[in-house]
Amino acid sequence: MKYSSNVNKEMTVKLLDWFYANKRDLPWRHDVRPYSVWISEIMLQQTVIRSVISYYKKWMKRFPDVHILAKAGEKEVLTMWEGLGYYSRARNILKCAHQLIGLYKGTIPDEYDKLIRLPGIGDYTASAILSIAYKKPYPVMDANVNRVARRILALKSWDLFIKKEVADLLKKIISSKDPGGFNEAVMELGQRVCLVDTPLCSQCPVSGHCVSYKKNLQDRIPEKKNLQIKSRETLLPILITENRKSILVFEKKRGVLQGLWMFPGISRTGGYAERMEQFIEKNISDDFEKHGKLTVRTHHYTRFAEKLFPFIYSVRKPGKKLKEDWMWIPFRELEKYPFPSVYRRILQDVEEYMKNL
Ligand code: SF4
């Protein structure tokens, strides 16, 4: 292995010493049962630590183990997840809990090949469970680990072979006594020291092993990928009943927001007041009143941003047969329905607006 001379067990020891002297006090670090590692690692995917802490505590209080979780309904699980985003993670957790009960009597397997077949568990989560809960030497590879390793080895390219080379190298240096600590140490180094834009090399415990640091390449590695964020704009005619007691929402049946509730929307092109009103006449009622517009909100997805333009209408006679999945829900029951966080925010705007209606 041509890059490995600088990366050795001495580096592993320095990394672990730094980690145990500096690690943050996080709730999942007090409970390394396979169940807790699984839930925390899924929550932490694509989500910053400070946002996960309160969700994790609430989750563990309500679903302290696989058996209790497996008895919950999807609606409750999605409501607990509301605001964390990437809701397929929550749906997969529930599916996985059912399989764990059916296949393994509620225990979480300690073999990679079994873990990887479970819903929502990929290489990263399987390796985290095996290393942290079962103390087996499986290195994890997330964006932080990848960046730290590429900088230490001074690898510019995003080539897949290089990814494999990084993985092989981690397998060689992972601590056999403390594989979980090693994995957490590399991740924590990426989160707190080897930062994306400004790596803090003067505070880094492994700078003596880092080729990028020696060659002053740390700002250029890894090369930035050119991700284009697309955007789109959606009109949201928000419909409430004339007595102000119910609101029209629908359940998403497909896609990344499957199982969540939202307002029906239409693409914002052309004269939009007319288009919204035609939409209401066609689908809900021709007896309605327009009130006003609410704050424009943005829903961020991985690859695009959706700007939402909400307008309030009240409907006097909601006469038309609603589309399948659309429902009038009383305001007092909305808490029981999971909404993407930006829609929950719009709901708060609606309630605020209605105080002055
Ligand atoms: Fe990252 Fe700098 Fe440490 Fe190298 S020396 S691993 S670039 S923080």
Side-chain angles (χ1 to χ4, degrees):
M1 174 110 12
K2 64 184 171 175
Y3 299 108
S4 61
S5 58
N6 57 316
V7 180
N8 49 37
K9 291 282 177 188
E10 188 195 329
M11 189 185 106
T12 306
V13 172
K14 285 185 192 163
L15 194 57
L16 282 169
D17 287 349
W18 170 82
F19 177 62
Y20 285 110
N22 294 284
K23 71 175 185 168
R24 285 167 291 182
D25 185 18
L26 300 170
W28 45 90
R29 287 187 171 153
H30 296 282
D31 177 1
V32 290
R33 289 175 301 145
Y35 173 73
S36 322
V37 176
W38 167 44
I39 298 298
S40 60
E41 290 299 338
I42 300 283
M43 284 185 171
L44 286 162
Q45 287 167 19
Q46 323 264 4
T47 313
V48 293
I49 288 176
R50 68 173 178 281
S51 306
V52 170
I53 292 174
S54 60
Y55 283 91
Y56 174 82
K57 287 183 179 166
K58 204 167 69 168
W59 182 283
M60 284 300 162
K61 216 167 163 188
R62 171 64 187 93
F63 308 127
D65 59 43
V66 177
H67 297 273
I68 294 174
L69 171 60
K71 286 183 195 143
E74 186 177 275
K75 197 157 104 184
E76 186 187 4
V77 169
L78 286 172
T79 306
M80 291 282 282
W81 201 269
E82 194 182 292
L84 265 182
Y86 301 102
Y87 293 87
S88 58
R89 294 182 295 174
R91 286 190 292 272
N92 278 330
I93 283 180
L94 189 57
K95 271 189 221 153
C96 186
H98 294 151
Q99 290 197 14
L100 289 170
I101 297 289
L103 295 170
Y104 305 112
K105 297 185 178 150
T107 61
I108 296 180
D110 63 354
E111 291 169 43
Y112 183 88
D113 290 343
K114 288 183 178 166
L115 283 171
I116 205 84
R117 287 197 205 110
L118 292 164
I121 297 194
D123 176 71
Y124 171 84
T125 312
S127 301
I129 294 170
L130 291 168
S131 62
I132 299 171
Y134 291 118
K135 312 228 170 297
K136 295 191 173 189
Y138 283 83
V140 297
M141 178 77 101
D142 72 349
N144 284 309
V145 175
N146 201 358
R147 182 176 63 259
V148 171
R150 279 165 194 271
R151 281 183 175 153
I152 288 174
L153 301 173
L155 306 174
K156 278 189 194 159
S157 161
W158 286 98
D159 192 309
L160 274 181
F161 289 110
I162 288 193
K163 191 172 175 195
K164 183 172 180 322
E165 200 157 345
V166 170
D168 288 346
L169 198 70
L170 290 168
K171 278 182 199 150
K172 284 201 169 176
I173 60 162
I174 189 168
S175 164
S176 52
K177 282 193 197 134
D178 188 5
F182 174 86
N183 281 335
E184 289 200 82
V186 186
M187 287 191 277
E188 185 129 347
L189 191 74
Q191 287 154 4
R192 296 173 61 195
V193 178
C194 195
L195 306 175
V196 178
D197 293 322
T198 47
L200 309 172
C201 301
S202 60
Q203 298 170 30
C204 179
V206 295
S207 56
H209 299 260
C210 178
V211 180
S212 294
Y213 178 62
K214 280 184 196 156
K215 295 186 176 175
N216 202 22
L217 293 171
Q218 62 271 41
D219 295 329
R220 281 188 271 155
I221 292 178
E223 284 168 337
K224 304 270 181 293
K225 285 181 183 172
N226 235 346
L227 284 182
Q228 289 224 329
I229 302 287
K230 295 185 185 140
S231 64
R232 70 178 187 213
E233 299 189 332
T234 300
L235 299 170
L236 293 181
I238 294 183
L239 295 144
I240 55 177
T241 48
E242 192 184 17
N243 63 9
R244 319 272 194 259
K245 291 209 167 136
S246 300
I247 186 163
L248 185 78
V249 290
F250 78 101
E251 185 184 5
K252 267 293 242 195
K253 291 290 189 190
R254 277 183 293 279
V256 289
L257 298 177
Q258 186 189 331
L260 297 182
W261 292 74
M262 309 166 76
F263 310 113
I266 41 180
S267 171
R268 184 183 183 244
T269 45
Y272 50 88
E274 294 83 351
R275 300 193 59 238
M276 276 194 294
E277 286 166 19
Q278 284 161 9
F279 175 83
I280 299 168
E281 276 173 32
K282 185 171 165 220
N283 295 293
I284 321 288
S285 166
D286 41 24
D287 191 359
F288 58 87
E289 183 184 349
K290 183 177 180 186
H291 296 284
K293 58 182 176 188
L294 303 176
T295 309
V296 177
R297 303 272 175 203
T298 304
H299 194 180
H300 295 280
Y301 295 80
T302 314
R303 292 288 166 84
F304 71 95
E306 182 182 23
K307 241 178 177 181
L308 302 166
F309 295 80
F311 293 78
I312 295 207
Y313 290 83
S314 61
V315 180
R316 277 183 285 273
K317 288 185 197 140
K320 303 239 153 76
K321 187 171 180 290
L322 291 180
K323 286 188 183 179
E324 200 189 342
D325 312 328
W326 291 22
M327 241 166 87
W328 291 100
I329 294 184
F331 277 95
R332 63 172 191 283
E333 288 179 17
L334 285 171
E335 279 304 313
K336 293 187 216 150
Y337 291 80
F339 284 82
S341 48
V342 68
Y343 283 82
R344 182 68 77 189
R345 190 66 221 265
I346 294 171
L347 273 174
Q348 288 165 1
D349 294 343
V350 172
E351 289 183 272
E352 201 52 40
Y353 186 91
M354 281 170 46
K355 285 181 192 161
N356 304 313
L357 208 61

